[in-house]
């Protein structure tokens, strides 16, 4: 069995690597190259800087191709074994389909786990470096005068110290509006919440105006409140730092996304988009395992006689999966479905279909 496992895995690796390169090329050709060319033609960015931005954009593309490549590799591996009747000989020797497919399922699960780690430790950093190059070196910090949903924070070691949310920021007047500040004690326990109508930069620090403080540090449901006309904001970021501190969801780690969600919810602001991003950090990589469950039994169908047919079927399944993911994601972001349920729907449907197909070919 060890020889058979190695044989099947060897047949799987080639199509998987081909899929990574093929699907990455498709993504690059349909979007990334256009943006890169735009940076050169519209902003006059130097070629070396543009190439650096191109390399930094690759991890966020490659991570999307893993599930597609696993699907293609699973289809082509078992299609080849079926077309050469090798699968017939193996099953005639008393081996079940599930046992034959087990090495593919295990490697697909390993790819899924590795993709979650890659999506957490590599992709957000490269996305942030890419966006920093675009904002600061290509677009020369060209930014709108007003920004929405500003989140700033301070850390006490590994624990969150202060978390501030402002609904609007006007860079011309250096004013934050509709502010909520959460202050945390040891162990990340919430101690105090401050709300204010606005905060203005006085040249040295931010001054909040017309607000209220909720002190809950006593615990046991005890809450003390105090109103104020002016109060210094416990955030030291200067106006010039605010733009640099703001990151898009794809630039944040899961821990940072949780902080953002906490800030949004404290200000009673819709955080569904951020929640969907956080949950999809797990569900999209898991699609590699889901696609293996679907692709392996489909590869046994007699009509799978060429790699082009396998590639075409892969495209069809990918289109269906990402169509369902987009539709469910829209429902989750719009509040029609709980975000965790919306994120799980594509993988759940894929697992059900995969288990059914495995049961059918195992009979």
């Amino acid at each position: 069995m060890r020889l058979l496992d190695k044989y099947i895995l060897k047949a799987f690796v080639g199509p998987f690597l081909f899929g990574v390169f093929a699907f990455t090329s498709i993504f690059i050709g349909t979007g990334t190259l256009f943006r890169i060319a735009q940076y050169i033609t519209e902003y006059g960015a130097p070629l070396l800087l543009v190439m650096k931005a191109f390399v930094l954009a690759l991890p966020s593309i490659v991570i999307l191709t893993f599930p597609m490549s696993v699907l293609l590799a699973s289809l082509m591996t078992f299609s080849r074994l079926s077309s050469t009747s090798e699968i017939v000989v193996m099953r005639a020797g008393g081996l079940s389909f599930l046992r034959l497919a087990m090495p593919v399922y295990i490697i697909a699960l390993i790819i899924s786990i590795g993709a979650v780690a890659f999506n957490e430790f590599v992709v957000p950093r490269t996305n942030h470096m890419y966006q920093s190059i675009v904002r600061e070196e290509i677009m020369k910090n060209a930014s709108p005068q007003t920004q929405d949903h500003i989140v700033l924070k301070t850390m006490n070691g590994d624990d969150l110290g202060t978390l501030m949310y402002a609904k609007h920021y006007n860079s011309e007047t250096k004013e934050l509006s509709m502010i909520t500040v959460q202050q945390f004690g040891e162990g990340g326990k919430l101690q105090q919440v401050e709300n204010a109508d606005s905060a203005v930069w006085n040249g040295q620090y931010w001054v909040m105006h017309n607000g209220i403080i909720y002190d809950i540090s006593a615990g046991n449901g005890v809450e003390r409140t105090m109103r104020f006309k002016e109060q210094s904001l416990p955030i030291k970021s200067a106006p010039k730092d605010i733009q640099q501190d703001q990151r898009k969801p794809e630039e944040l780690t899961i821990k940072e996304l949780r902080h953002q969600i906490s800030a949004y919810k404290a200000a009673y602001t819709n955080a569904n988009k951020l929640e969907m991003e956080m949950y999809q950090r797990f569900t999209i990589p898991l699609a590699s395992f889901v696609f293996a469950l679907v692709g392996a039994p489909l590869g046994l169908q007699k009509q799978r006689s060429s790699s082009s047919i396998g590639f075409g079927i892969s495209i069809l399944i990918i289109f269906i999966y990402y169509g369902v993911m987009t539709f469910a994601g829209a429902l989750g972001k719009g509040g029609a479905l709980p975000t965790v349920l919306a994120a799980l729907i594509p993988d759940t449907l894929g697992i059900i279909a995969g288990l059914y197909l495995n049961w059918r070919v195992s009979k």
Side-chain angles (χ1 to χ4, degrees):
M1 278 310 301
R2 290 182 180 178
L3 288 175
L4 279 179
D5 290 341
K6 291 179 180 178
Y7 182 73
I8 292 173
L9 286 177
K10 185 178 179 180
F12 175 88
V13 169
F16 173 74
L17 295 177
F18 167 78
V20 171
F21 284 109
F23 289 119
T24 299
S25 299
I26 291 172
F27 276 106
I28 291 173
T30 55
T32 306
L33 284 182
F34 174 78
R35 291 197 301 272
I36 294 297
Q38 192 177 35
Y39 296 149
I40 296 175
T41 56
E42 292 190 15
Y43 298 97
L47 182 61
L48 186 62
L49 187 63
V50 168
M51 291 303 298
K52 183 178 179 181
F54 173 76
V55 171
L56 290 171
L58 287 179
S60 61
I61 298 173
V62 171
I63 196 69
L64 295 175
T65 67
F66 285 168
M68 306 176 188
S69 303
V70 168
L71 174 62
L72 177 64
S74 301
L75 270 166
M76 294 183 67
T77 297
F78 285 93
S79 174
R80 188 182 68 80
L81 292 175
S82 180
S83 63
T84 57
S85 299
E86 291 175 271
I87 199 75
V88 175
V89 175
M90 294 176 189
R91 298 187 71 174
L95 299 174
S96 68
F97 169 76
L98 286 178
R99 179 61 187 87
L100 293 173
M102 192 58 63
V104 170
Y105 293 161
I106 291 174
I107 196 67
L109 183 60
I110 293 172
I111 291 172
S112 291
I113 295 171
V116 171
F118 188 76
N119 216 11
E120 172 68 3
F121 298 108
V122 177
V123 175
R125 294 183 181 181
T126 55
N127 281 343
H128 179 60
M129 293 170 67
Y130 169 82
Q131 292 295 340
S132 296
I133 289 175
V134 172
R135 287 191 297 255
E136 299 169 17
E137 300 186 51
I138 296 179
M139 296 184 177
K140 306 298 182 182
N141 287 322
S143 60
Q145 291 185 347
T146 61
Q147 293 176 270
D148 295 330
H149 307 300
I150 302 298
V151 177
L152 300 171
K153 65 183 179 182
T154 62
M155 303 294 292
N156 293 327
D158 293 331
D159 295 328
L160 190 62
T162 306
L163 187 62
M164 187 219 74
Y165 169 88
K167 192 167 186 179
H168 303 290
Y169 170 62
N170 190 317
S171 60
E172 192 172 52
T173 61
K174 298 179 180 178
E175 180 178 1
L176 298 162
S177 58
M178 301 183 69
I179 301 162
T180 299
V181 181
Q182 300 176 77
Q183 296 199 48
F184 300 86
E186 294 184 4
K189 185 178 180 181
L190 183 62
Q191 299 287 314
Q192 185 173 289
V193 178
E194 302 177 31
N195 293 327
D197 293 339
S198 63
V200 179
W201 180 254
N202 68 357
Q204 295 181 325
Y205 55 88
W206 294 94
V207 179
M208 294 188 292
H209 299 278
N210 301 322
I212 185 170
I213 299 174
Y214 301 93
D215 186 355
I216 56 177
S217 59
N220 299 321
V222 177
E223 180 182 290
R224 295 186 293 268
T225 62
M226 181 181 69
R227 294 188 177 275
F228 61 86
K229 288 186 178 180
E230 289 188 355
Q231 173 85 3
S232 61
L233 182 67
I235 292 286
K236 305 302 181 183
S237 298
K240 64 181 179 64
D241 298 325
I242 286 183
Q243 181 187 355
Q244 297 178 358
D245 290 339
Q246 301 313 299
R247 300 188 181 188
K248 296 180 180 180
E250 58 267 25
E251 299 176 61
L252 303 174
T253 64
I254 293 173
K255 184 178 180 179
E256 290 169 337
L257 280 169
R258 290 174 60 191
H259 292 165
Q260 296 274 69
I261 292 168
S262 175
Y264 274 48
K265 289 186 174 181
Y268 301 99
T269 301
N270 191 317
N272 288 347
K273 183 178 179 180
L274 293 173
E275 289 184 347
M276 284 298 303
E277 174 72 22
M278 182 176 67
Y279 294 133
Q280 285 179 342
R281 294 288 177 88
F282 298 98
T283 57
I284 291 178
L286 181 61
S288 295
F289 177 69
V290 175
F291 280 173
L293 284 178
V294 173
L298 279 179
L300 291 184
Q301 304 303 313
K302 294 181 180 179
Q303 61 266 32
R304 309 289 175 262
S305 57
S306 70
S307 59
S308 61
I309 293 177
F311 192 83
I313 293 172
S314 299
I315 296 295
L316 178 62
I317 295 173
I318 290 165
F319 177 80
I320 293 172
Y321 176 87
Y322 282 98
V324 172
M325 186 182 74
T326 301
F327 179 71
L331 293 178
K333 292 174 184 177
L337 285 176
T339 51
V340 63
L341 177 61
L344 286 171
I345 283 176
D347 285 351
T348 302
L349 294 178
I351 289 173
I352 292 172
L355 291 177
Y356 169 73
L357 290 171
N358 277 267
W359 170 77
R360 194 179 69 175
V361 300
S362 297
K363 289 194 299 180

